[in-house]
Amino acid sequence: MARAKKEAALTPEERLQAALVPDWEWPYKLPENWCWTRMQEIAQWGSGGTPSRKVSEYYNGDIYWVKTGELNDDYIFETEEHITQEAISHSSAKIYPTDTVVIAMYGATIGKVGILGIPAATNQACACAIVKPSTDYKYLFYYAQSQKDDFIKKGKGGAQPNISQEIIKFHQFPLPPLAEQHRIVDRIESLFAKLDEAKEKAQAVVDSFETRKAAILHKAFTGELTAKWREEHGVGMESWRTISFKDVCKKITDGTHHSPINTENGEYMYITAKNIKENGIDLANVTFVSKDVHEEIYSRCDVQYGDVLYIKDGATTGIATVNTIKKPFSLLSSVAVLRPDKKQILSEYMAYNLNSSKTKTMMINSMSGNAITRLTLSKIKAASITICSLDEQGEIVHLIDNLLGKEQQAKEAAEVVLERINLMKKSILARTFRGELGTNDPSEESAVKLLKQVIE
């Protein structure tokens, strides 16, 4: 209200000057017929609210209610929750029209953007913009996307930084002539459509990696993968048999059940579940303990080169790897040590089998516990594993290594493509709002006149 009264006392020319960003605050130079203004000048801004969670009936309505986690850099046509008109009446939530541009203001979602594809209400963490006639709502939408990093930098707070609606409203905005805005939107969507087509294909490769991996391991441990090998060597599946882990392991144990206090001058590695990966032991964030602490723990786990390390507790249960570290280290109890009987089973074969979907499911179904689920050593010992001759195991490991290696390369190549596409989109948006897409017509009337019309 105070701002409205203050502006009412200004002449049209003074209001225009107040709406323009002074040249010493320009982030960069724009084409001659563009101008720098602020986001408050090109849209009506508002936010929403959260109806009381104590009144469950508020959430049984038919009004779409958007939370910041649902902002997806695209149109929003559905929401997880729907509220009632009564919820609107008893909260600060309000219904915004189709084509409203929504920007997240709080926490980890700062800068995420969406467009309402339907009339909807939002929570208080959303800044909602209904554009004025000076602005194409899609132009604002793409510009907001391009400013995500800047919004994050402006976030205030500790672990969950926030930006305010006022920060967004005061943010600089490059305003071109309206016809140029339409051309820019068309060009962005044309370029993005081609990139999205490539992105969809690359994402499919990444998403299907686990499925392809599971199929390879399934074929490996049902004998299908080595069918040709058996034929070439004149053997059948007579060596294939199911046996318990305790009968193919010389030792099955785990680490300490009492987490040691970290020591600054420790010299022995202390491995926990976070360090166990299918492709090896990750030493990036390994903890070190003193010699005395290590010796106390090591007397229990006695980890040796070639042992299979297996996560048996918590959310990552079922991940196994072969220990290739020759230097002694100690373990937390969440990691089990399985020492294969080399006369019956290869370490690599056991690790691959433990990482297969069938064995993971079997083991996880044997877990117990509430807050933290655990797989006891007795359950591991009693679990079954299918083995074959050592020669065939060696061939299986060789084939899995080759096949998964190729699949991993394909996945990594696809991930590189995805990263490049994201960088290309950022580059396109950066060039766009500098007027560098080659769409600008310098003969068109200056955007300053366009701005003047909407603020008068």
Side-chain angles (χ1 to χ4, degrees):
M1 181 66 72
R3 183 184 175 216
K5 289 181 178 179
K6 184 178 179 180
E7 288 186 350
L10 298 176
T11 67
E13 187 59 33
E14 287 172 333
R15 286 201 295 274
L16 177 61
Q17 289 306 310
L20 291 169
V21 176
D23 55 8
W24 60 86
E25 290 186 30
W26 293 355
Y28 46 82
K29 187 174 175 58
L30 296 171
E32 290 295 329
N33 58 344
W34 293 33
C35 67
W36 279 108
T37 184
R38 301 196 188 276
M39 291 176 71
Q40 66 186 5
E41 307 295 347
I42 55 87
Q44 294 291 338
W45 292 88
S47 62
T50 300
S52 174
R53 290 287 184 181
K54 296 179 180 179
V55 185
S56 58
E57 292 80 6
Y58 286 170
Y59 293 87
N60 293 324
D62 56 6
I63 298 171
Y64 299 100
W65 186 65
V66 179
K67 301 186 288 289
T68 54
E70 296 170 293
L71 301 182
N72 55 3
D73 290 339
D74 205 341
Y75 278 94
I76 298 168
F77 292 106
E78 185 54 86
T79 58
E80 180 185 12
E81 296 182 282
H82 302 79
I83 60 177
T84 63
Q85 185 59 54
E86 186 177 5
I88 297 284
S89 302
H90 289 83
S91 72
S92 56
K94 55 187 69 70
I95 300 174
Y96 289 94
T98 300
D99 300 337
T100 296
V101 176
V102 185
I103 305 173
M105 297 188 288
Y106 297 172
T109 60
I110 283 180
K112 289 186 68 176
V113 186
I115 301 176
L116 297 185
I118 33 76
T122 75
N123 69 6
Q124 65 275 15
C126 295
C128 303
I130 303 172
V131 297
K132 296 178 181 179
S134 61
T135 309
D136 183 322
Y137 71 93
K138 286 187 179 180
Y139 179 85
L140 170 59
F141 165 73
Y142 286 118
Y143 179 67
Q145 279 192 53
S146 76
Q147 299 301 291
K148 181 177 181 179
D149 291 343
D150 284 345
F151 289 145
I152 291 172
K153 288 177 184 177
K154 291 181 177 181
K156 298 177 181 180
Q160 290 292 316
N162 301 327
I163 55 174
S164 67
Q165 193 178 148
E166 290 307 310
I167 287 175
I168 292 176
K169 289 164 68 175
F170 197 69
H171 195 73
Q172 296 100 327
F173 185 83
L175 184 68
L178 194 55
E180 169 64 356
Q181 293 180 44
H182 298 328
R183 290 192 295 269
I184 283 172
V185 168
D186 288 343
R187 178 64 63 87
I188 290 174
E189 293 187 340
S190 175
L191 293 171
F192 277 21
K194 295 174 182 176
L195 291 174
D196 286 342
E197 185 177 349
K199 183 177 181 178
E200 186 176 344
K201 293 177 181 178
Q203 191 64 55
V205 173
V206 174
D207 292 344
S208 61
F209 172 76
E210 291 298 330
T211 300
R212 299 194 305 276
K213 172 185 164 186
I216 291 169
L217 294 180
H218 174 75
K219 291 179 180 179
F221 301 114
T222 55
E224 184 179 347
L225 198 60
T226 43
K228 184 177 180 181
W229 180 89
R230 289 195 301 274
E231 183 180 346
E232 291 173 347
H233 289 75
V235 297
M237 293 190 67
E238 58 275 1
S239 70
W240 284 72
R241 63 195 186 280
T242 298
I243 192 169
S244 65
F245 275 92
K246 67 180 176 62
D247 290 329
V248 290
C249 290
K250 289 186 174 181
K251 186 173 186 178
I252 298 178
T253 186
D254 59 10
T256 180
H257 288 247
H258 304 285
S259 300
I261 298 174
N262 296 348
T263 57
E264 294 182 3
N265 299 315
E267 55 183 307
Y268 287 89
M269 289 188 296
Y270 173 66
I271 302 297
T272 66
K274 70 180 182 182
N275 304 112
I276 305 301
K277 312 295 180 184
E278 289 187 17
N279 59 349
I281 301 175
D282 180 6
L283 301 180
N285 296 300
V286 71
T287 299
F288 288 84
V289 294
S290 66
K291 182 179 180 180
D292 290 344
V293 172
H294 164 74
E295 288 179 347
E296 179 184 348
I297 301 173
Y298 192 74
S299 63
R300 174 184 175 89
C301 58
D302 182 31
V303 186
Q304 296 181 12
Y305 181 86
D307 285 349
V308 174
L309 304 182
Y310 181 63
I311 301 177
K312 66 180 186 64
D313 298 346
T316 55
T317 293
I319 295 178
T321 195
V322 177
N323 175 35
T324 56
I325 299 174
K326 294 183 179 179
K327 184 178 179 179
F329 60 85
S330 49
L331 291 168
L332 183 63
S333 62
S334 57
V335 182
V337 178
L338 287 76
R339 184 160 302 150
D341 178 357
K342 297 298 177 65
K343 294 181 180 180
Q344 296 189 73
I345 189 169
L346 302 178
S347 298
E348 295 79 6
Y349 180 93
M350 180 180 287
Y352 274 135
N353 186 282
L354 284 166
N355 286 322
S356 68
S357 298
K358 181 180 179 181
T359 304
K360 273 189 177 181
T361 300
M362 175 183 65
M363 291 293 199
I364 289 172
N365 286 342
S366 298
M367 294 175 74
S368 58
N370 295 317
I372 299 177
T373 52
R374 292 184 169 89
L375 191 60
T376 63
L377 293 179
S378 60
K379 291 289 181 65
I380 296 174
K381 291 175 182 179
S384 59
I385 181 172
T386 300
I387 65 173
C388 51
S389 69
L390 289 174
D391 285 343
E392 190 164 356
Q393 288 181 41
E395 180 64 13
I396 287 171
V397 169
H398 171 70
L399 291 173
I400 292 175
D401 283 344
N402 285 342
L403 292 170
L404 288 188
K406 292 176 181 177
E407 294 294 347
Q408 184 65 34
Q409 287 179 353
K411 178 189 176 188
E412 290 173 357
E415 288 171 337
V416 169
V417 170
L418 291 173
E419 181 60 26
R420 286 178 179 171
I421 288 172
N422 289 335
L423 291 174
M424 289 173 70
K425 283 189 170 185
K426 283 187 175 183
S427 175
I428 289 169
L429 291 178
R431 290 169 51 214
T432 293
F433 302 106
R434 291 175 178 270
E436 296 175 358
L437 281 190
T439 56
N440 191 53
D441 181 353
S443 67
E444 288 178 342
E445 191 171 59
S446 172
V448 172
K449 293 187 177 180
L450 181 65
L451 181 62
K452 186 177 181 180
Q453 293 171 7
V454 297
I455 63 174
E456 288 183 346

